[in-house]
């Protein structure tokens, strides 16, 4: 593992390059959530969150560090699927150890727990760069063959139960995932996303990540 000081320095440098406001504007409307499914133990999920998830993702799913994804308002099914992928090794990362002893019921409960939280809305400061991202997100790039992100993740970034909600996600995290898809370092959900991420320029990658981070 890399030394902690070196990692933190890298995070600070990367985060600073985005020019994203650190202060939330307020609560955004949470995705429509059905009643808690039968058999979901939210108390158990709360215990797991307090014991391990909160360190990186926060008790409310609003991670303070831009290198960790915000989970508040994410689709429960998507969260459970990612935990299962980490547990099986289909997706590689630090979460492999965190997910290794979770039961299927616990994964489902954690998905519901975070999915019921209301995500915060953040303001993007670099509007010019975000405008480039807005164009790519909604229209794609016909010259390079990049499909519009909205065609899968929705015009508001809400996603589906199979595809992640992107609206309001940390720009630094989004950029890192796009780069991992490009290099095939992200080992799950890669087939479609590699085809898209591999055609994005560095400017487009950063612009899309920045724009999406400001979606509400």
């Amino acid at each position: 593992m890399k030394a902690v000081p070196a990692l933190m320095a890298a995070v600070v440098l990367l985060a600073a390059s985005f020019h994203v406001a650190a202060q939330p504007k307020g609560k955004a409307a949470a995705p429509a959530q059905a009643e808690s499914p039968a058999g979901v133990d939210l108390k158990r999920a709360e215990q797991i969150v307090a014991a391990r998830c909160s360190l990186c993702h926060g008790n409310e799913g609003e991670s303070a560090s831009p290198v960790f994804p915000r989970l508040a308002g994410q689709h429960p099914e998507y969260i459970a699927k990612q935990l299962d992928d980490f547990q099986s090794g289909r997706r590689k990362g630090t979460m492999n150890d965190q997910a290794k002893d979770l039961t299927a019921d616990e994964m489902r409960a954690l998905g519901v727990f975070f999915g019921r939280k209301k995500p915060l809305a953040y303001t993007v400061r670099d509007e010019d760069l975000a405008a480039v991202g807005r164009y790519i997100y909604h229209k794609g790039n016909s010259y390079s063959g990049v499909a519009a992100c909205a065609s899968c993740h929705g015009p508001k970034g809400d996603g589906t139960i199979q595809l992640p909600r992107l609206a309001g996600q940390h720009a630094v995290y989004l950029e890192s995932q796009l780069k991992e898809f490009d290099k095939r370092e992200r080992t799950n959900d890669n087939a479609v996303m590699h085809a898209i991420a591999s055609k994005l320029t560095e400017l487009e990658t950063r612009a899309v990540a920045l724009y999406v981070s400001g979606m509400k």
Side-chain angles (χ1 to χ4, degrees):
M1 294 179 65
K2 294 182 179 179
V4 173
L7 176 60
M8 293 306 298
V11 169
V12 171
L13 289 173
L14 183 58
S17 67
F18 277 100
H19 306 290
V20 182
Q23 299 80 18
K25 288 186 67 177
K27 292 285 185 180
Q33 298 292 336
E35 291 297 321
S36 181
V40 172
D41 189 347
L42 291 179
K43 288 186 177 180
R44 175 57 183 153
E46 188 174 357
Q47 292 172 348
I48 297 173
V49 170
R52 60 178 88 172
C53 308
S54 60
L55 181 63
C56 296
H57 301 286
N59 287 316
E60 300 297 312
E62 295 289 348
S63 56
S65 171
V67 301
F68 302 122
R70 300 171 70 199
L71 301 180
Q74 187 58 266
H75 295 284
E77 298 87 350
Y78 182 78
I79 292 177
K81 191 263 186 185
Q82 294 305 305
L83 288 171
D84 186 63
D85 283 356
F86 277 122
Q87 186 177 82
S88 68
R90 286 188 295 271
R91 182 174 178 181
K92 307 293 185 182
T94 57
M95 280 297 300
N96 293 131
D97 286 338
Q98 297 297 325
K100 66 181 180 181
D101 61 349
L102 292 175
T103 67
D105 286 342
E106 288 172 336
M107 294 180 194
R108 187 166 172 243
L110 286 168
V112 174
F113 176 87
F114 284 118
R116 293 162 66 94
K117 301 297 182 180
K118 290 185 178 181
L120 295 173
Y122 284 79
T123 299
V124 173
R125 287 177 177 165
D126 193 338
E127 295 182 359
D128 290 335
L129 183 58
V132 176
R134 184 183 188 281
Y135 186 94
I136 298 298
Y137 185 90
H138 292 284
K139 297 185 178 182
N141 184 342
S142 60
Y143 299 99
S144 60
V146 174
C149 310
S151 62
C152 289
H153 295 280
K156 295 183 179 180
D158 291 334
T160 67
I161 61 174
Q162 292 86 21
L163 300 171
R165 170 187 165 87
L166 299 181
Q169 187 58 266
H170 285 302
V172 171
Y173 175 76
L174 288 170
E175 185 182 20
S176 73
Q177 293 305 294
L178 286 170
K179 289 182 176 179
E180 286 189 15
F181 279 126
D182 177 24
K183 299 176 182 177
R184 293 197 183 278
E185 292 176 353
R186 176 154 173 183
T187 50
N188 74 335
D189 306 329
N190 192 275
V192 174
M193 282 306 303
H194 172 75
I196 295 172
S198 63
K199 296 175 183 177
L200 291 171
T201 67
E202 186 172 354
L203 174 66
E204 290 171 337
T205 298
R206 181 161 295 190
V208 167
L210 182 62
Y211 170 69
V212 170
S213 73
M215 295 176 75
K216 303 175 180 63

